[in-house]
């Protein structure tokens, strides 16, 4: 699967997002090393801070449904720039590539380390 195909999966998933407060629909598609893809969407809540971002939803699915762990993933595509908290997740789960639409609508690819240098490690 190409990065562009993965991005198209994320874009299609975004239509299922639950974002009644912001109307900002975000989708993510997470590519495992075995070729499996997990999709996620943002899920908002009236208590704003309890919302879940699309990329974290996708990673949580892969962990909960298939027991995946850091290093099991190749790439993730997201229809928006990942927030700071999600960048920490992307580093922890060892993604090789993060493909997303930047704030100008361009599809860009970065490594998690590029997106979050000098990462917190426990
Ligand atoms: Zn986020």
């Amino acid at each position: 699967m190409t990065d562009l195909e993965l991005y198209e999966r994320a874009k299609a998933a975004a239509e299922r997002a639950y974002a009644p407060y912001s109307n900002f629909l975000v989708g993510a598609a997470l590519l495992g090393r075995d070729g499996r893809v997990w999709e996620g969407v943002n899920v908002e809540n009236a208590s704003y801070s309890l919302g879940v971002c699309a990329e974290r939803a996708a990673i949580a699915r892969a962990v909960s449904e298939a027991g995946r762990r850091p290093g099991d993933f190749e790439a993730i595509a997201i229809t928006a720039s990942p927030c700071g908290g999600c960048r920490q997740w992307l580093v922890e789960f060892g993604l090789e590539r993060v493909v997303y639409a930047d704030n100008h609508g361009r599809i860009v690819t970065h490594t998690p380390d590029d997106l979050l240098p000098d990462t917190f490690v426990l």
Side-chain angles (χ1 to χ4, degrees):
M1 174 173 287
T2 68
D3 286 353
L4 192 54
E5 290 170 335
L6 192 63
Y7 183 80
E8 289 301 318
R9 291 277 301 262
K11 205 168 148 185
E15 294 175 18
R16 299 191 304 272
Y18 176 72
Y21 307 105
S22 72
N23 289 315
F24 189 69
L25 308 179
V26 182
L30 175 66
L31 177 62
R33 294 195 183 284
D34 60 358
R36 186 166 168 188
V37 175
W38 289 272
E39 296 173 348
V41 299
N42 58 326
V43 181
E44 293 183 347
N45 188 274
S47 179
Y48 291 169
S49 64
L50 297 179
V52 177
C53 297
E55 52 273 58
R56 280 189 283 144
I59 292 170
R61 280 191 62 203
V63 170
S64 60
E65 292 176 11
R68 294 299 190 264
R69 293 289 183 264
D72 288 341
F73 308 106
E74 187 177 321
I76 191 167
I78 313 159
T79 60
S81 176
C83 75
C86 285
R87 292 177 188 216
Q88 179 73 36
W89 273 56
L90 299 173
V91 168
E92 176 148 342
F93 278 86
L95 276 290
E96 288 178 12
R97 300 184 310 283
V98 182
V99 181
Y100 63 93
D102 71 11
N103 293 330
H104 304 287
R106 296 178 298 228
I107 309 298
V108 296
T109 302
H110 293 287
T111 67
D113 285 340
D114 287 340
L115 296 172
L116 190 66
D118 215 9
T119 309
F120 170 79
V121 177
L122 187 61

PDB file of all heavy atoms in Angstrom, residues 45-78:
ATOM      1  N   ASN A  45     -16.276  14.994  22.891  1.00  0.00           N
ATOM      2  CA  ASN A  45     -17.139  14.865  24.052  1.00  0.00           C
ATOM      3  C   ASN A  45     -17.496  16.267  24.524  1.00  0.00           C
ATOM      4  O   ASN A  45     -16.697  17.196  24.345  1.00  0.00           O
ATOM      5  CB  ASN A  45     -16.391  14.091  25.155  1.00  0.00           C
ATOM      6  CG  ASN A  45     -17.302  13.745  26.314  1.00  0.00           C
ATOM      7  OD1 ASN A  45     -17.480  14.545  27.222  1.00  0.00           O
ATOM      8  ND2 ASN A  45     -17.883  12.575  26.274  1.00  0.00           N
ATOM      9  N   ALA A  46     -18.684  16.406  25.134  1.00  0.00           N
ATOM     10  CA  ALA A  46     -19.102  17.718  25.638  1.00  0.00           C
ATOM     11  C   ALA A  46     -18.075  18.266  26.627  1.00  0.00           C
ATOM     12  O   ALA A  46     -17.884  19.474  26.729  1.00  0.00           O
ATOM     13  CB  ALA A  46     -20.475  17.612  26.295  1.00  0.00           C
ATOM     14  N   SER A  47     -17.418  17.387  27.344  1.00  0.00           N
ATOM     15  CA  SER A  47     -16.282  17.790  28.168  1.00  0.00           C
ATOM     16  C   SER A  47     -15.049  17.687  27.266  1.00  0.00           C
ATOM     17  O   SER A  47     -14.470  16.620  27.092  1.00  0.00           O
ATOM     18  CB  SER A  47     -16.153  16.852  29.374  1.00  0.00           C
ATOM     19  OG  SER A  47     -15.049  17.233  30.153  1.00  0.00           O
ATOM     20  N   TYR A  48     -14.694  18.797  26.632  1.00  0.00           N
ATOM     21  CA  TYR A  48     -13.757  18.803  25.510  1.00  0.00           C
ATOM     22  C   TYR A  48     -12.486  17.987  25.714  1.00  0.00           C
ATOM     23  O   TYR A  48     -12.036  17.295  24.814  1.00  0.00           O
ATOM     24  CB  TYR A  48     -13.345  20.229  25.151  1.00  0.00           C
ATOM     25  CG  TYR A  48     -14.456  21.065  24.551  1.00  0.00           C
ATOM     26  CD1 TYR A  48     -14.297  22.423  24.391  1.00  0.00           C
ATOM     27  CD2 TYR A  48     -15.659  20.493  24.142  1.00  0.00           C
ATOM     28  CE1 TYR A  48     -15.309  23.210  23.850  1.00  0.00           C
ATOM     29  CE2 TYR A  48     -16.674  21.254  23.596  1.00  0.00           C
ATOM     30  CZ  TYR A  48     -16.488  22.619  23.455  1.00  0.00           C
ATOM     31  OH  TYR A  48     -17.486  23.387  22.926  1.00  0.00           O
ATOM     32  N   SER A  49     -11.923  18.070  26.897  1.00  0.00           N
ATOM     33  CA  SER A  49     -10.623  17.407  27.095  1.00  0.00           C
ATOM     34  C   SER A  49     -10.730  15.888  27.064  1.00  0.00           C
ATOM     35  O   SER A  49      -9.719  15.194  26.988  1.00  0.00           O
ATOM     36  CB  SER A  49      -9.989  17.863  28.409  1.00  0.00           C
ATOM     37  OG  SER A  49     -10.793  17.445  29.498  1.00  0.00           O
ATOM     38  N   LEU A  50     -11.946  15.362  27.107  1.00  0.00           N
ATOM     39  CA  LEU A  50     -12.122  13.905  27.076  1.00  0.00           C
ATOM     40  C   LEU A  50     -12.181  13.352  25.662  1.00  0.00           C
ATOM     41  O   LEU A  50     -12.245  12.138  25.478  1.00  0.00           O
ATOM     42  CB  LEU A  50     -13.395  13.514  27.834  1.00  0.00           C
ATOM     43  CG  LEU A  50     -13.388  13.861  29.317  1.00  0.00           C
ATOM     44  CD1 LEU A  50     -14.705  13.439  29.954  1.00  0.00           C
ATOM     45  CD2 LEU A  50     -12.218  13.197  30.027  1.00  0.00           C
ATOM     46  N   GLY A  51     -12.143  14.203  24.675  1.00  0.00           N
ATOM     47  CA  GLY A  51     -12.170  13.735  23.294  1.00  0.00           C
ATOM     48  C   GLY A  51     -10.929  12.913  22.958  1.00  0.00           C
ATOM     49  O   GLY A  51      -9.897  13.011  23.618  1.00  0.00           O
ATOM     50  N   VAL A  52     -11.054  12.095  21.931  1.00  0.00           N
ATOM     51  CA  VAL A  52      -9.948  11.241  21.495  1.00  0.00           C
ATOM     52  C   VAL A  52      -9.614  11.585  20.046  1.00  0.00           C
ATOM     53  O   VAL A  52     -10.505  11.683  19.201  1.00  0.00           O
ATOM     54  CB  VAL A  52     -10.327   9.749  21.593  1.00  0.00           C
ATOM     55  CG1 VAL A  52      -9.204   8.866  21.075  1.00  0.00           C
ATOM     56  CG2 VAL A  52     -10.674   9.391  23.023  1.00  0.00           C
ATOM     57  N   CYS A  53      -8.328  11.733  19.768  1.00  0.00           N
ATOM     58  CA  CYS A  53      -7.877  12.041  18.414  1.00  0.00           C
ATOM     59  C   CYS A  53      -7.914  10.780  17.541  1.00  0.00           C
ATOM     60  O   CYS A  53      -7.848   9.654  18.042  1.00  0.00           O
ATOM     61  CB  CYS A  53      -6.461  12.595  18.444  1.00  0.00           C
ATOM     62  SG  CYS A  53      -6.293  14.157  19.331  1.00  0.00           S
ATOM     63  N   ALA A  54      -7.996  10.998  16.236  1.00  0.00           N
ATOM     64  CA  ALA A  54      -8.124   9.892  15.284  1.00  0.00           C
ATOM     65  C   ALA A  54      -6.932   8.934  15.331  1.00  0.00           C
ATOM     66  O   ALA A  54      -7.106   7.707  15.286  1.00  0.00           O
ATOM     67  CB  ALA A  54      -8.270  10.449  13.871  1.00  0.00           C
ATOM     68  N   GLU A  55      -5.729   9.468  15.406  1.00  0.00           N
ATOM     69  CA  GLU A  55      -4.555   8.596  15.387  1.00  0.00           C
ATOM     70  C   GLU A  55      -4.444   7.758  16.658  1.00  0.00           C
ATOM     71  O   GLU A  55      -4.062   6.605  16.626  1.00  0.00           O
ATOM     72  CB  GLU A  55      -3.273   9.382  15.101  1.00  0.00           C
ATOM     73  CG  GLU A  55      -3.027  10.590  15.984  1.00  0.00           C
ATOM     74  CD  GLU A  55      -3.696  11.854  15.449  1.00  0.00           C
ATOM     75  OE1 GLU A  55      -4.928  11.866  15.261  1.00  0.00           O
ATOM     76  OE2 GLU A  55      -2.960  12.857  15.270  1.00  0.00           O
ATOM     77  N   ARG A  56      -4.830   8.356  17.791  1.00  0.00           N
ATOM     78  CA  ARG A  56      -4.816   7.572  19.028  1.00  0.00           C
ATOM     79  C   ARG A  56      -5.916   6.519  19.005  1.00  0.00           C
ATOM     80  O   ARG A  56      -5.731   5.416  19.524  1.00  0.00           O
ATOM     81  CB  ARG A  56      -4.956   8.479  20.255  1.00  0.00           C
ATOM     82  CG  ARG A  56      -3.623   9.131  20.607  1.00  0.00           C
ATOM     83  CD  ARG A  56      -3.685   9.850  21.922  1.00  0.00           C
ATOM     84  NE  ARG A  56      -4.381  11.115  21.745  1.00  0.00           N
ATOM     85  CZ  ARG A  56      -5.194  11.660  22.655  1.00  0.00           C
ATOM     86  NH1 ARG A  56      -5.403  11.052  23.799  1.00  0.00           N
ATOM     87  NH2 ARG A  56      -5.777  12.811  22.409  1.00  0.00           N
ATOM     88  N   ALA A  57      -7.055   6.841  18.398  1.00  0.00           N
ATOM     89  CA  ALA A  57      -8.134   5.854  18.263  1.00  0.00           C
ATOM     90  C   ALA A  57      -7.660   4.669  17.411  1.00  0.00           C
ATOM     91  O   ALA A  57      -7.946   3.511  17.739  1.00  0.00           O
ATOM     92  CB  ALA A  57      -9.367   6.505  17.643  1.00  0.00           C
ATOM     93  N   ALA A  58      -6.932   4.950  16.340  1.00  0.00           N
ATOM     94  CA  ALA A  58      -6.445   3.875  15.462  1.00  0.00           C
ATOM     95  C   ALA A  58      -5.438   2.995  16.205  1.00  0.00           C
ATOM     96  O   ALA A  58      -5.491   1.759  16.129  1.00  0.00           O
ATOM     97  CB  ALA A  58      -5.821   4.468  14.198  1.00  0.00           C
ATOM     98  N   ILE A  59      -4.518   3.616  16.922  1.00  0.00           N
ATOM     99  CA  ILE A  59      -3.516   2.843  17.668  1.00  0.00           C
ATOM    100  C   ILE A  59      -4.196   2.020  18.766  1.00  0.00           C
ATOM    101  O   ILE A  59      -3.878   0.843  18.959  1.00  0.00           O
ATOM    102  CB  ILE A  59      -2.428   3.776  18.255  1.00  0.00           C
ATOM    103  CG1 ILE A  59      -1.589   4.379  17.121  1.00  0.00           C
ATOM    104  CG2 ILE A  59      -1.535   3.013  19.233  1.00  0.00           C
ATOM    105  CD1 ILE A  59      -0.638   5.492  17.560  1.00  0.00           C
ATOM    106  N   ALA A  60      -5.149   2.623  19.459  1.00  0.00           N
ATOM    107  CA  ALA A  60      -5.865   1.900  20.516  1.00  0.00           C
ATOM    108  C   ALA A  60      -6.602   0.698  19.942  1.00  0.00           C
ATOM    109  O   ALA A  60      -6.662  -0.363  20.577  1.00  0.00           O
ATOM    110  CB  ALA A  60      -6.833   2.843  21.228  1.00  0.00           C
ATOM    111  N   ARG A  61      -7.152   0.843  18.748  1.00  0.00           N
ATOM    112  CA  ARG A  61      -7.817  -0.303  18.102  1.00  0.00           C
ATOM    113  C   ARG A  61      -6.828  -1.425  17.840  1.00  0.00           C
ATOM    114  O   ARG A  61      -7.121  -2.601  18.091  1.00  0.00           O
ATOM    115  CB  ARG A  61      -8.454   0.124  16.777  1.00  0.00           C
ATOM    116  CG  ARG A  61      -9.772   0.823  16.913  1.00  0.00           C
ATOM    117  CD  ARG A  61     -10.457   0.957  15.563  1.00  0.00           C
ATOM    118  NE  ARG A  61     -10.740  -0.355  14.993  1.00  0.00           N
ATOM    119  CZ  ARG A  61     -10.915  -0.589  13.703  1.00  0.00           C
ATOM    120  NH1 ARG A  61     -10.804   0.396  12.829  1.00  0.00           N
ATOM    121  NH2 ARG A  61     -11.194  -1.793  13.267  1.00  0.00           N
ATOM    122  N   ALA A  62      -5.662  -1.084  17.296  1.00  0.00           N
ATOM    123  CA  ALA A  62      -4.672  -2.111  16.964  1.00  0.00           C
ATOM    124  C   ALA A  62      -4.192  -2.837  18.218  1.00  0.00           C
ATOM    125  O   ALA A  62      -3.973  -4.054  18.197  1.00  0.00           O
ATOM    126  CB  ALA A  62      -3.489  -1.483  16.226  1.00  0.00           C
ATOM    127  N   VAL A  63      -4.061  -2.091  19.305  1.00  0.00           N
ATOM    128  CA  VAL A  63      -3.636  -2.702  20.569  1.00  0.00           C
ATOM    129  C   VAL A  63      -4.746  -3.580  21.131  1.00  0.00           C
ATOM    130  O   VAL A  63      -4.526  -4.736  21.497  1.00  0.00           O
ATOM    131  CB  VAL A  63      -3.226  -1.611  21.589  1.00  0.00           C
ATOM    132  CG1 VAL A  63      -3.023  -2.208  22.974  1.00  0.00           C
ATOM    133  CG2 VAL A  63      -1.955  -0.898  21.119  1.00  0.00           C
ATOM    134  N   SER A  64      -5.972  -3.047  21.170  1.00  0.00           N
ATOM    135  CA  SER A  64      -7.065  -3.776  21.817  1.00  0.00           C
ATOM    136  C   SER A  64      -7.594  -4.932  20.978  1.00  0.00           C
ATOM    137  O   SER A  64      -7.975  -5.967  21.517  1.00  0.00           O
ATOM    138  CB  SER A  64      -8.201  -2.820  22.189  1.00  0.00           C
ATOM    139  OG  SER A  64      -8.716  -2.183  21.051  1.00  0.00           O
ATOM    140  N   GLU A  65      -7.595  -4.780  19.659  1.00  0.00           N
ATOM    141  CA  GLU A  65      -8.154  -5.830  18.798  1.00  0.00           C
ATOM    142  C   GLU A  65      -7.138  -6.906  18.428  1.00  0.00           C
ATOM    143  O   GLU A  65      -7.505  -8.048  18.170  1.00  0.00           O
ATOM    144  CB  GLU A  65      -8.705  -5.217  17.500  1.00  0.00           C
ATOM    145  CG  GLU A  65      -9.925  -4.353  17.724  1.00  0.00           C
ATOM    146  CD  GLU A  65     -10.399  -3.684  16.434  1.00  0.00           C
ATOM    147  OE1 GLU A  65      -9.912  -4.042  15.340  1.00  0.00           O
ATOM    148  OE2 GLU A  65     -11.248  -2.788  16.535  1.00  0.00           O
ATOM    149  N   ALA A  66      -5.871  -6.540  18.355  1.00  0.00           N
ATOM    150  CA  ALA A  66      -4.885  -7.498  17.839  1.00  0.00           C
ATOM    151  C   ALA A  66      -3.623  -7.597  18.684  1.00  0.00           C
ATOM    152  O   ALA A  66      -2.683  -8.307  18.292  1.00  0.00           O
ATOM    153  CB  ALA A  66      -4.519  -7.115  16.402  1.00  0.00           C
ATOM    154  N   GLY A  67      -3.609  -6.912  19.824  1.00  0.00           N
ATOM    155  CA  GLY A  67      -2.449  -7.011  20.706  1.00  0.00           C
ATOM    156  C   GLY A  67      -1.174  -6.431  20.131  1.00  0.00           C
ATOM    157  O   GLY A  67      -0.081  -6.812  20.531  1.00  0.00           O
ATOM    158  N   ARG A  68      -1.301  -5.510  19.189  1.00  0.00           N
ATOM    159  CA  ARG A  68      -0.115  -4.923  18.582  1.00  0.00           C
ATOM    160  C   ARG A  68       0.645  -4.078  19.602  1.00  0.00           C
ATOM    161  O   ARG A  68       0.065  -3.558  20.555  1.00  0.00           O
ATOM    162  CB  ARG A  68      -0.487  -4.078  17.365  1.00  0.00           C
ATOM    163  CG  ARG A  68      -1.065  -4.897  16.215  1.00  0.00           C
ATOM    164  CD  ARG A  68      -0.056  -5.913  15.719  1.00  0.00           C
ATOM    165  NE  ARG A  68      -0.498  -6.538  14.502  1.00  0.00           N
ATOM    166  CZ  ARG A  68      -1.142  -7.710  14.418  1.00  0.00           C
ATOM    167  NH1 ARG A  68      -1.397  -8.393  15.511  1.00  0.00           N
ATOM    168  NH2 ARG A  68      -1.522  -8.189  13.266  1.00  0.00           N
ATOM    169  N   ARG A  69       1.945  -3.953  19.345  1.00  0.00           N
ATOM    170  CA  ARG A  69       2.835  -3.267  20.261  1.00  0.00           C
ATOM    171  C   ARG A  69       3.757  -2.321  19.499  1.00  0.00           C
ATOM    172  O   ARG A  69       3.833  -2.389  18.266  1.00  0.00           O
ATOM    173  CB  ARG A  69       3.698  -4.295  21.027  1.00  0.00           C
ATOM    174  CG  ARG A  69       2.903  -5.178  21.970  1.00  0.00           C
ATOM    175  CD  ARG A  69       2.412  -4.367  23.165  1.00  0.00           C
ATOM    176  NE  ARG A  69       1.693  -5.157  24.148  1.00  0.00           N
ATOM    177  CZ  ARG A  69       0.362  -5.279  24.203  1.00  0.00           C
ATOM    178  NH1 ARG A  69      -0.409  -4.711  23.283  1.00  0.00           N
ATOM    179  NH2 ARG A  69      -0.210  -5.977  25.163  1.00  0.00           N
ATOM    180  N   PRO A  70       4.490  -1.472  20.228  1.00  0.00           N
ATOM    181  CA  PRO A  70       5.451  -0.600  19.555  1.00  0.00           C
ATOM    182  C   PRO A  70       6.364  -1.404  18.633  1.00  0.00           C
ATOM    183  O   PRO A  70       6.814  -2.493  18.992  1.00  0.00           O
ATOM    184  CB  PRO A  70       6.237   0.013  20.719  1.00  0.00           C
ATOM    185  CG  PRO A  70       5.234   0.070  21.828  1.00  0.00           C
ATOM    186  CD  PRO A  70       4.436  -1.220  21.676  1.00  0.00           C
ATOM    187  N   GLY A  71       6.587  -0.882  17.452  1.00  0.00           N
ATOM    188  CA  GLY A  71       7.424  -1.553  16.466  1.00  0.00           C
ATOM    189  C   GLY A  71       6.643  -2.380  15.468  1.00  0.00           C
ATOM    190  O   GLY A  71       7.196  -2.836  14.468  1.00  0.00           O
ATOM    191  N   ASP A  72       5.355  -2.580  15.725  1.00  0.00           N
ATOM    192  CA  ASP A  72       4.524  -3.388  14.820  1.00  0.00           C
ATOM    193  C   ASP A  72       3.955  -2.581  13.653  1.00  0.00           C
ATOM    194  O   ASP A  72       3.230  -3.140  12.831  1.00  0.00           O
ATOM    195  CB  ASP A  72       3.342  -4.011  15.585  1.00  0.00           C
ATOM    196  CG  ASP A  72       3.780  -5.122  16.520  1.00  0.00           C
ATOM    197  OD1 ASP A  72       4.895  -5.648  16.326  1.00  0.00           O
ATOM    198  OD2 ASP A  72       3.014  -5.455  17.445  1.00  0.00           O
ATOM    199  N   PHE A  73       4.275  -1.291  13.599  1.00  0.00           N
ATOM    200  CA  PHE A  73       3.647  -0.432  12.590  1.00  0.00           C
ATOM    201  C   PHE A  73       4.674   0.192  11.655  1.00  0.00           C
ATOM    202  O   PHE A  73       5.794   0.484  12.053  1.00  0.00           O
ATOM    203  CB  PHE A  73       2.844   0.675  13.274  1.00  0.00           C
ATOM    204  CG  PHE A  73       1.887   0.150  14.292  1.00  0.00           C
ATOM    205  CD1 PHE A  73       2.137   0.302  15.638  1.00  0.00           C
ATOM    206  CD2 PHE A  73       0.745  -0.535  13.904  1.00  0.00           C
ATOM    207  CE1 PHE A  73       1.269  -0.195  16.592  1.00  0.00           C
ATOM    208  CE2 PHE A  73      -0.133  -1.046  14.845  1.00  0.00           C
ATOM    209  CZ  PHE A  73       0.125  -0.883  16.193  1.00  0.00           C
ATOM    210  N   GLU A  74       4.220   0.378  10.437  1.00  0.00           N
ATOM    211  CA  GLU A  74       5.078   0.993   9.435  1.00  0.00           C
ATOM    212  C   GLU A  74       4.780   2.490   9.279  1.00  0.00           C
ATOM    213  O   GLU A  74       5.693   3.308   9.277  1.00  0.00           O
ATOM    214  CB  GLU A  74       4.852   0.269   8.102  1.00  0.00           C
ATOM    215  CG  GLU A  74       5.785   0.667   7.005  1.00  0.00           C
ATOM    216  CD  GLU A  74       5.527  -0.152   5.746  1.00  0.00           C
ATOM    217  OE1 GLU A  74       5.248  -1.360   5.850  1.00  0.00           O
ATOM    218  OE2 GLU A  74       5.592   0.434   4.667  1.00  0.00           O
ATOM    219  N   ALA A  75       3.521   2.806   9.114  1.00  0.00           N
ATOM    220  CA  ALA A  75       3.168   4.201   8.827  1.00  0.00           C
ATOM    221  C   ALA A  75       1.758   4.494   9.318  1.00  0.00           C
ATOM    222  O   ALA A  75       0.957   3.583   9.557  1.00  0.00           O
ATOM    223  CB  ALA A  75       3.246   4.461   7.323  1.00  0.00           C
ATOM    224  N   ILE A  76       1.477   5.779   9.432  1.00  0.00           N
ATOM    225  CA  ILE A  76       0.120   6.228   9.718  1.00  0.00           C
ATOM    226  C   ILE A  76      -0.163   7.440   8.842  1.00  0.00           C
ATOM    227  O   ILE A  76       0.738   8.252   8.598  1.00  0.00           O
ATOM    228  CB  ILE A  76      -0.082   6.567  11.216  1.00  0.00           C
ATOM    229  CG1 ILE A  76      -1.571   6.778  11.526  1.00  0.00           C
ATOM    230  CG2 ILE A  76       0.762   7.755  11.634  1.00  0.00           C
ATOM    231  CD1 ILE A  76      -1.897   6.796  13.016  1.00  0.00           C
ATOM    232  N   ALA A  77      -1.376   7.491   8.333  1.00  0.00           N
ATOM    233  CA  ALA A  77      -1.809   8.670   7.582  1.00  0.00           C
ATOM    234  C   ALA A  77      -2.929   9.329   8.375  1.00  0.00           C
ATOM    235  O   ALA A  77      -3.778   8.647   8.954  1.00  0.00           O
ATOM    236  CB  ALA A  77      -2.313   8.267   6.195  1.00  0.00           C
ATOM    237  N   ILE A  78      -2.894  10.637   8.418  1.00  0.00           N
ATOM    238  CA  ILE A  78      -3.852  11.424   9.204  1.00  0.00           C
ATOM    239  C   ILE A  78      -4.313  12.585   8.337  1.00  0.00           C
ATOM    240  O   ILE A  78      -3.507  13.190   7.616  1.00  0.00           O
ATOM    241  CB  ILE A  78      -3.184  11.980  10.485  1.00  0.00           C
ATOM    242  CG1 ILE A  78      -2.393  10.890  11.221  1.00  0.00           C
ATOM    243  CG2 ILE A  78      -4.218  12.602  11.412  1.00  0.00           C
ATOM    244  CD1 ILE A  78      -1.337  11.418  12.162  1.00  0.00           C
TER     245      ILE A  78
END
